[in-house]
Amino acid sequence: MLRRTYTADSLVLRPNRDCFSMAGASKTLTFAVMLLGVAFFVISFSMVMFKDSNVKLPESPKSELSAGNVAGVTPRLSKKGEQQIQRLDTGNTVVTFGRQSMEMKHPLKNVTEGRGFMSTTALDKETMSEANASLAANYEQSNELDYREWNLEQARRKAILRETCAQHPNWNMSIERISRGFNLLWPFIYDDKYKVIYCTICKVASTTWKSVFLVLMGKYNSTQAVDLGQWYTLDRSLHTLQKLRNPAEIEKRLRTYKKFIFVREPFSRELSGYRNKLHKMNKYYQKTIGTKIIRQFRKNPDKEALQTGVGVTFTEFVKYLTKTPPESLDIHWRPMYKMVLPCAIEYDYIGHLETADWDTHNILKETGINHVVEIPSQKASNLSGSNDIFNGFFNELNASLVQDMYNTFKYDVELFGYPLPELIAKKLGRNP
């Protein structure tokens, strides 16, 4: 009897005790060849169908988000998370589930219409229905994880605020006292229908959030429609706690309404205020404050500079900041803690401009106004101090002046949990 064995060179027949006939071996070999032919046909046909159907499969989930590795996302937490991130290339856009799920509000619409992710030419309706159901489940799960992560970050921010306030008991005051201090209440904008209070800070997306409240008041249908040319009048029309002039009404709102605030890395905020009000052409600020700075901090100023206030240097500006009592500074560069009563008001949500999209999405949802107003994506502001513009201006300052500036704004750094920008830390002789 013969046994079949296969080598790299040929098919070899060798004697064996098995009851195997030559005819049987031949039939078995023929059947195997037929199976291989069928398999080759199926694989070839599948490749053609996948090529023509525009089907694009999702990439493998990515764990541990780092700066800029997903659609240019900046880190949202002080320590890296291990949340699963899944990106689906839909042809027209990239849908990222998780922290950036709000990039595309209706991902399933693109899927069901067959615009790239799943083509009706390749998959039957039942398969598409199952796939879309799975996609929806993943979308909801990732949103839930994102929301949980955001709540953890909110808890961290509020804990830092409480810990810092505990070191300064004199900053605390009762709601009753605040309600009678009308001069303290100008930054607090409220809406009675949605029972929400926003504390505005200049140079921290304040125009955007004031526009939200104009929409809630019914003055505009969207934030994009707000007429910035009429901003002075519109700004004065907003409802602020200061205008109530009734301590009982003020106290009721402070105790029962949801309250939120947006803050910003302090050194970046001061630079933004300088560039917007003094470095660029702004006749009002140059005339009222620029002339004052030049007169006080420039040696031998020329007549034109004294008259126009144009050309204030960043060094002169920082000297002005550090030599002026903080509470006397203009609101565009006054320390944040001097305006927002951080140890007296118990904020429900603390947004950071550096994570504006993430915080905005969740705050709108938490306050119940997400179905009324929509805020366009906001570009993340400088946090690390690594960009050329930031370093270009702060490199003008000597270490002594940087130390004076830190002394003026250190409580903003500590209360809101900001790390020092790398350049600032180096000039202060600290580890960033």
Side-chain angles (χ1 to χ4, degrees):
M1 307 303 290
L2 299 176
R3 179 179 63 187
R4 295 180 300 154
T5 61
Y6 298 89
T7 67
D9 300 323
S10 62
L11 180 65
V12 181
L13 298 178
R14 295 181 180 175
N16 189 29
R17 297 176 183 175
D18 294 341
C19 297
F20 232 123
S21 68
M22 284 292 294
S26 176
K27 289 180 180 179
T28 303
L29 181 60
T30 301
F31 181 70
V33 171
M34 289 175 64
L35 285 178
L36 288 173
V38 172
F40 177 77
F41 174 78
V42 171
I43 293 172
S44 300
F45 179 76
S46 299
M47 291 178 66
V48 172
M49 290 299 292
F50 268 81
K51 181 178 180 181
D52 295 337
S53 65
N54 294 325
V55 174
K56 296 184 179 182
L57 298 179
E59 299 175 8
S60 299
K62 298 181 178 181
S63 61
E64 190 170 321
L65 183 67
S66 60
N69 69 350
V70 178
V73 181
T74 53
R76 304 203 173 183
L77 291 176
S78 58
K79 54 184 179 181
K80 296 178 182 177
E82 295 181 355
Q83 176 186 353
Q84 293 288 319
I85 301 298
Q86 188 175 27
R87 302 171 74 248
L88 301 180
D89 185 353
T90 63
N92 295 329
T93 187
V94 173
V95 182
T96 305
F97 295 115
R99 303 188 190 195
Q100 291 294 301
S101 58
M102 60 181 292
E103 287 182 4
M104 186 175 182
K105 294 184 179 300
H106 305 289
L108 299 183
K109 181 179 179 183
N110 277 4
V111 173
T112 54
E113 291 179 359
R115 289 205 291 254
F117 178 63
M118 291 183 176
S119 172
T120 54
T121 62
L123 299 174
D124 58 54
K125 291 184 178 180
E126 183 178 355
T127 304
M128 282 187 64
S129 178
E130 292 175 357
N132 289 332
S134 176
L135 181 60
N138 288 338
Y139 183 70
E140 292 300 326
Q141 183 180 20
S142 60
N143 271 342
E144 183 180 345
L145 289 171
D146 180 74
Y147 179 67
R148 230 180 292 161
E149 182 182 337
W150 182 76
N151 274 309
L152 288 173
E153 174 64 2
Q154 285 296 305
R156 185 190 72 86
R157 292 175 184 177
K158 287 186 278 190
I160 291 173
L161 188 66
R162 287 194 300 270
E163 290 172 6
T164 307
C165 287
Q167 301 171 21
H168 304 278
N170 58 310
W171 290 351
N172 194 9
M173 64 178 71
S174 66
I175 294 294
E176 292 82 2
R177 181 181 171 188
I178 295 172
S179 300
R180 289 162 175 75
F182 301 124
N183 62 316
L184 302 174
L185 298 170
W186 63 267
F188 295 90
I189 302 169
Y190 70 92
D191 183 85
D192 283 333
K193 181 178 180 180
Y194 293 95
K195 300 187 185 306
V196 59
I197 296 174
Y198 159 63
C199 182
T200 180
I201 301 177
C202 294
K203 308 312 300 176
V204 192
S206 58
T207 300
T208 298
W209 278 105
K210 287 178 179 179
S211 298
V212 168
F213 280 80
L214 289 170
V215 173
L216 297 181
M217 291 170 62
K219 291 184 176 291
Y220 293 94
N221 293 325
S222 70
T223 55
Q224 294 94 319
V226 174
D227 183 5
L228 296 180
Q230 302 294 320
W231 187 250
Y232 179 76
T233 302
L234 292 171
D235 191 27
R236 292 171 63 88
S237 71
L238 289 165
H239 299 151
T240 65
L241 293 180
Q242 185 183 46
K243 294 178 182 178
L244 287 175
R245 295 289 172 176
N246 184 326
E249 289 297 315
I250 294 170
E251 183 178 342
K252 180 184 72 173
R253 287 167 175 79
L254 285 174
R255 290 190 183 279
T256 60
Y257 286 16
K258 290 184 177 179
K259 299 169 286 295
F260 72 94
I261 186 174
F262 266 80
V263 296
R264 183 177 185 177
E265 194 284 308
F267 291 92
S268 296
R269 176 175 172 262
E270 296 309 308
L271 176 58
S272 177
Y274 163 74
R275 294 180 68 207
N276 182 250
K277 302 301 180 185
L278 294 172
H279 186 63
K280 297 177 181 178
M281 184 56 64
N282 187 315
K283 290 184 178 180
Y284 174 78
Y285 273 88
Q286 288 168 335
K287 183 69 174 178
T288 57
I289 297 180
T291 53
K292 180 180 179 181
I293 293 174
I294 290 173
R295 187 179 302 109
Q296 187 173 354
F297 298 103
R298 183 176 298 181
K299 294 180 179 180
N300 304 317
D302 59 49
K303 185 176 180 181
E304 182 180 359
L306 288 172
Q307 290 178 341
T308 64
V310 174
V312 173
T313 67
F314 189 55
T315 296
E316 291 169 340
F317 172 70
V318 173
K319 287 180 179 179
Y320 166 72
L321 292 180
T322 58
K323 302 298 181 183
T324 305
E327 57 276 5
S328 300
L329 289 169
D330 181 82
I331 59 175
H332 288 86
W333 39 72
R334 188 181 304 171
M336 293 182 286
Y337 80 98
K338 285 291 186 180
M339 298 181 286
V340 303
L341 305 175
C343 300
I345 301 292
E346 188 173 347
Y347 290 99
D348 297 281
Y349 316 109
I350 302 173
H352 282 194
L353 190 64
E354 294 76 18
T355 55
D357 284 351
W358 194 41
D359 293 324
T360 297
H361 171 70
N362 285 293
I363 289 174
L364 288 176
K365 179 180 177 181
E366 284 287 297
T367 54
I369 59 179
N370 56 323
H371 65 285
V372 179
V373 66
E374 190 174 289
I375 297 181
S377 178
Q378 303 171 64
K379 183 178 180 182
S381 300
N382 174 60
L383 171 63
S384 65
S386 60
N387 67 54
D388 293 337
I389 294 176
F390 184 92
N391 289 347
F393 281 99
F394 277 93
N395 268 325
E396 295 179 16
L397 309 182
N398 59 40
S400 176
L401 201 51
V402 171
Q403 182 65 60
D404 290 342
M405 189 174 183
Y406 173 77
N407 292 341
T408 301
F409 297 98
K410 67 178 180 179
Y411 295 127
D412 284 351
V413 172
E414 295 174 2
L415 284 163
F416 302 115
Y418 279 103
L420 287 175
E422 184 177 355
L423 179 61
I424 302 301
K426 286 181 178 179
K427 285 182 174 286
L428 293 176
R430 305 183 184 186
N431 292 325

